[in-house]
Structure formats: structure tokens, C-alpha cells
Amino acid sequence: MAKAPDPMARSLEQAREHIAPVDFAAASDLLRSLIASRSSRTERLEQPDVRDAVETIGRYVKDAGPISLRLESTSLLGKVTETFNSKALIATVAMLIDRGLTIPLPAIGTWGNADDRRYLAKAISLSEAAWIPQYAAEALAQAELNERVSRDIWAELAIARAENLAAALRAIAQALSDWLSGREDSIELSYRKIRRICEALEQTLLTADVPSGRDFGDAFATLVRVAGGRKGADAVRAREEAAISVLDLLIQILRLRFDVLFDSNIYRAAGTVRGWWRPARPPEEVERRTDRVADLAMRGLHILARQGVQDKELRTALSKALDAGRVNSAGQAVAAADIGLDPALSRFLATGQELPEVKSSDALQELNEQATDELLGRLLLAVTNQDVSPDAVLSVANAIDVFEPTQASVIRKAGARLELIRQWVDALASKRRLATYGSRGELVQFDPAVHDTAETLQRLSEVRIALPGVIRAAEGRPSTIIIKAIIEKL
């Protein structure tokens, strides 16, 4: 037989569902006194009055009359998890926070002090609610300058839980724009804001396991554009510090996120920062970091160039954002370090222009080839001359080795070098299909078409070859004489 409901238990449950404001005050006072003591033992934390106080505060996380009570309750539970090490208590608090934050919290606004907001962020981080990334982005943009710890937590929540980094940056940019819209008179404050935001993002943005997103570069440039640009004598130092923070973050992003390296929009952020001083020149520290950005970007273009790709859109964007002279200088340095790069790609990196085509007629090209073949033919004859051949030089070295070993060693090295030169010349001649014909001392019949001499000789008379000639033997075509063989009378 089922047991009848206990009227007393039912009335207590109903009472808990309708908490009076005095219950919140009593529960808050108890928990704050325990937090202040920081010496509560586990047995004390597990007593009924403490558990009831925690549950009471937990109810206000989800449903409270005044808006500030939800924020205060959440922050107080966050402080409990940071203060005590009771696993049972922390588990209960985490459950209450997760259950209470199914409904989005109200905007922070001007509520609380730096510590209150810090513990609020800690508490929110225990929940997986879908509204938290947007809320964290707004909180990060609106955080006071002295809220360093809470900014780091908000940045972690906004980035790590976002669909992609681009979406997170757009949310932060919009929140910052809304916050600054009512503070047009505070130029210095806007620069200090973007500096603190960049410092907080640097802790999370670089290592977050979140995709960059299709419009990451544009989102980053938008965030920078929203924050800066206004000029004033009282903001000189703040402007420079903000510019350095933005560029340092940009450099780290380019170094660690390969996909962002080829996003032309992200370099607009650097151009925006340099524009904060227009028409004057930015400070040296800002320019030095801009040089680093240009170097990283050109190294990215070099990676593409090694694959035969010219990303003209990216290079044009770099020239507009960072200054064409700076980009050309970085491109020249990268191209000069890679001597194996195709000349057309090397010129593209260094100047952004295409290598002009060499204009020549077929006849001029043929004359150039003939001149090249003749020069190479004479070199071929020189290295195959029996009087100065590697074998002849080595014979001399062997002959004097007994009497002059030192000189013989030098001559032997020269012979080895000459042999190497002959191999190079033979390889080059083979590529041009050049070869010698005839051999020195060979007896032949004189033919003016293939022999050359300074003497008067009758055709078909017997002569001796004094120096071989050179021919070009193209496949499928008759041989062409490049250099005639020189003959002499018998």
C-alpha cells in the first residue's frame, strides 16, 4: 500500500518554491561569513543550515525578483566554489548553477565591483548554456579596465565556445561599439579598451581549438576599426600602447594560424593601426612590428610561389595596407634568399609585377644559338686538346713525383680539376648535341666544306688534321658544322 504524502514535507517544499527576501539575506550572510573565515572544515560545510543556504541562493540564480539578485546569487556561488574544497558542496553548487542558468542572465551593466564580476564569470564558466558565448563577448567588451582576471575568463568563454573565431570577434566588436557609442568624449578610454581586449584574447585566441571561420580577417579588422582612430593630445601614449598590443596579437595569429596567413582582409587591421597617425608617421615601435607583419605575409606568398602560384590579390592588399615600399623590401629579401625560385615568381615577390617577355625575332634567336654553339664548341676543343688533357697533366705529375713531390701534388690536383671541367663541358655539349669530328693527326682528303686551312690546297688532296672540328647532330636532321676542322699539308 502506497504511503500517503506527508503534509509537512509538502508544505516545506512549497515554502522553498516561494522564498521571501529575508531568506536570501540570511543565506547570503551565512555563506559570506563562512567565506570570510576561510577555515571551515568539511563537516561544517555539510551541515543542514549550510546546505539550505546554498540551495536558497541557488534558487535565486534561476528566479529572482530584482535583476541584481540573480547576478549577486550567481557571483556568490562562484565565490563558494573558489573558496572551499568540499567536493560534495562544489558538486551541489555546480548543479544549482547549471540548472539556474538555463535562463540567460541579465546584462551586467554597472552591477557589482571587480571581485563580484570575477566570481560571476567563474560561476558562469561552470554552465554549458548556449547563450553564454554571446554574453561573454559582451562582458569582455564592457569590462572595466581593472578587471583583468574576469576579462581572461570572458575571453575564454567567448572564444572557446564560439562556433568559430570570426563569430566571436564580431560579437566582441559589436558590443564594444555599443559601449563606446555613448562615450565619444573619452578618446583615451577607447584605446585602453582595445589594448586590454587584445591582451585577454592573446591568452585564448592562439591556442583555441576552434576554426578561424571564413571571415576571420574581416572580423579582426572590424574590431580594430571600432576601437581606434580618434585623435587627441591626451591619448598619445594610450594610442601607441594600443597599436603595439594589436600588432603583437596580429603577429602571433599569423605565426600560429596558417590559414589566416593568406586572408587578405586581416592585414587591413595593420593598415588601420598605421592610419591612427595619418598623415604623420607612426612611432618606431609600431613601424618595427609592421615590418614583421610584412615579413610574415611575404613568407606566406613565397610558400605559394614555390608551388607556382601568384596570389596577386593578397599582394595588392598588402601594398595598400602596409605601404608598397615596405612590402617590396620584404619581398626582395625573401626572393633573394631563394636562388632556385623561378625568375618570374621572384620578380612578382619583389615588385608585384610580371617579368617582361624577351622580344626577339626567329632570326635573331637563331643567330644567338649559333653564337652560343660556337663558343661552347671552342671550349669543347680546348678541354679535349691532347696537349692539355687531364691525362697529359697527370702524366707530368707522375713523372716529377720522385724529384718534386710537392709540385707533383699541385699538378695532380690541377689535373683532377681539369677532368671535372671536362665532364661539365661534355655534359653541356651533350645537352646541346655538340660533338667533335676527326682526330688530331688523322689523314683525310681535303674538303673545303668541312676543313679549314690558310694554305692553298687542291680538293681531295691528302692532308693531316691539326685540330678537330665541331658539329651539331640534331635528331632526325642532318649534322651542322659549327667549327671546321683545321688541317695541314703532309
Side-chain angles (χ1 to χ4, degrees), residues 432-434 471-480:
R432 296 286 296 179
R433 294 183 173 85
L434 300 180
I471 61 173
R472 182 176 185 181
E475 185 176 355
R477 300 176 62 182
S479 299
T480 303

Side-chain angles (χ1 to χ4, degrees), residues 421-478:
I421 294 173
R422 185 172 68 178
Q423 292 176 11
W424 291 341
V425 173
D426 286 345
L428 185 57
S430 176
K431 189 171 184 179
R432 296 286 296 179
R433 294 183 173 85
L434 300 180
T436 60
Y437 71 92
S439 58
R440 188 174 182 180
E442 180 183 355
L443 298 179
V444 296
Q445 291 181 328
F446 176 62
D447 183 353
V450 297
H451 299 144
D452 195 11
T453 181
E455 303 179 47
T456 303
L457 297 172
Q458 292 293 325
R459 181 181 173 81
L460 300 181
S461 60
E462 193 173 19
V463 292
R464 180 186 293 112
I465 294 179
L467 187 65
V470 177
I471 61 173
R472 182 176 185 181
E475 185 176 355
R477 300 176 62 182

Side-chain angles (χ1 to χ4, degrees), residues 103-377:
I103 301 174
L105 286 174
I108 298 175
T110 59
W111 171 83
N113 55 33
D115 279 342
D116 294 332
R117 300 185 184 199
R118 169 191 171 187
Y119 292 117
L120 176 67
K122 289 280 188 181
I124 291 177
S125 66
L126 298 176
S127 173
E128 298 293 333
W131 56 268
I132 290 178
Q134 176 67 30
Y135 190 88
E138 296 173 358
L140 172 62
Q142 298 172 7
E144 298 295 337
L145 298 179
N146 63 339
E147 296 180 38
R148 185 185 64 81
V149 177
S150 59
R151 270 198 308 272
D152 291 343
I153 301 173
W154 294 131
E156 170 71 24
L157 293 173
I159 295 297
R161 301 192 186 184
E163 180 181 357
N164 55 61
L165 299 183
L169 290 184
R170 289 195 183 282
I172 295 170
Q174 184 60 53
L176 181 60
S177 177
D178 295 342
W179 190 86
L180 291 173
S181 61
R183 299 170 173 78
E184 295 294 333
D185 57 330
S186 183
I187 299 174
E188 182 178 3
L189 183 60
S190 65
Y191 287 119
R192 296 196 182 281
K193 272 282 186 180
I194 190 60
R195 177 188 174 191
R196 301 296 194 286
I197 290 174
C198 286
E199 290 172 350
L201 289 176
E202 190 171 0
Q203 305 299 319
T204 299
L205 193 62
L206 306 181
T207 57
D209 187 18
V210 179
S212 300
R214 183 176 181 181
D215 301 322
F216 176 81
D218 183 67
F220 187 84
T222 299
L223 174 62
V224 177
R225 177 175 52 79
V226 165
R230 292 176 292 178
K231 296 179 174 62
D234 58 336
V236 174
R237 182 58 183 168
R239 180 174 54 187
E240 181 176 350
E241 291 175 345
I244 291 174
S245 294
V246 170
L247 292 176
D248 282 344
L249 178 59
L250 176 57
I251 289 169
Q252 293 300 321
I253 293 172
L254 294 175
R255 288 182 59 247
L256 299 179
R257 286 192 169 262
F258 187 74
D259 58 327
V260 174
L261 195 61
F262 306 108
D263 187 343
S264 59
N265 287 325
I266 198 170
Y267 298 102
R268 289 195 289 112
T272 298
V273 167
R274 297 189 72 248
W276 291 350
W277 281 269
R278 191 173 290 117
R281 184 175 183 273
E284 187 60 34
E285 285 298 310
V286 174
E287 290 294 77
R288 186 170 64 83
R289 285 166 171 80
T290 307
D291 289 339
R292 178 59 174 152
V293 172
D295 177 67
L296 290 169
M298 294 311 298
R299 291 183 184 277
L301 278 176
H302 177 247
I303 293 173
L304 297 179
R306 292 295 298 176
Q307 301 173 18
V309 177
Q310 294 184 14
D311 193 333
K312 297 179 181 179
E313 178 186 355
L314 177 55
R315 202 187 188 290
T316 300
L318 291 174
S319 297
K320 290 181 179 179
L322 308 180
D323 180 70
R326 170 182 282 108
V327 173
N328 289 345
S329 177
Q332 290 170 7
V334 171
D338 187 356
I339 59 175
L341 190 63
D342 181 88
L345 296 172
S346 180
R347 180 176 175 82
F348 167 72
L349 289 177
T351 66
Q353 302 174 0
E354 294 184 359
L355 188 67
E357 296 182 1
V358 178
K359 298 181 179 179
S360 61
S361 64
D362 293 341
L364 180 58
Q365 184 175 359
E366 185 175 353
L367 289 174
N368 289 336
E369 289 186 355
Q370 290 178 356
T372 301
D373 287 344
E374 184 175 351
L375 290 172
L376 182 56

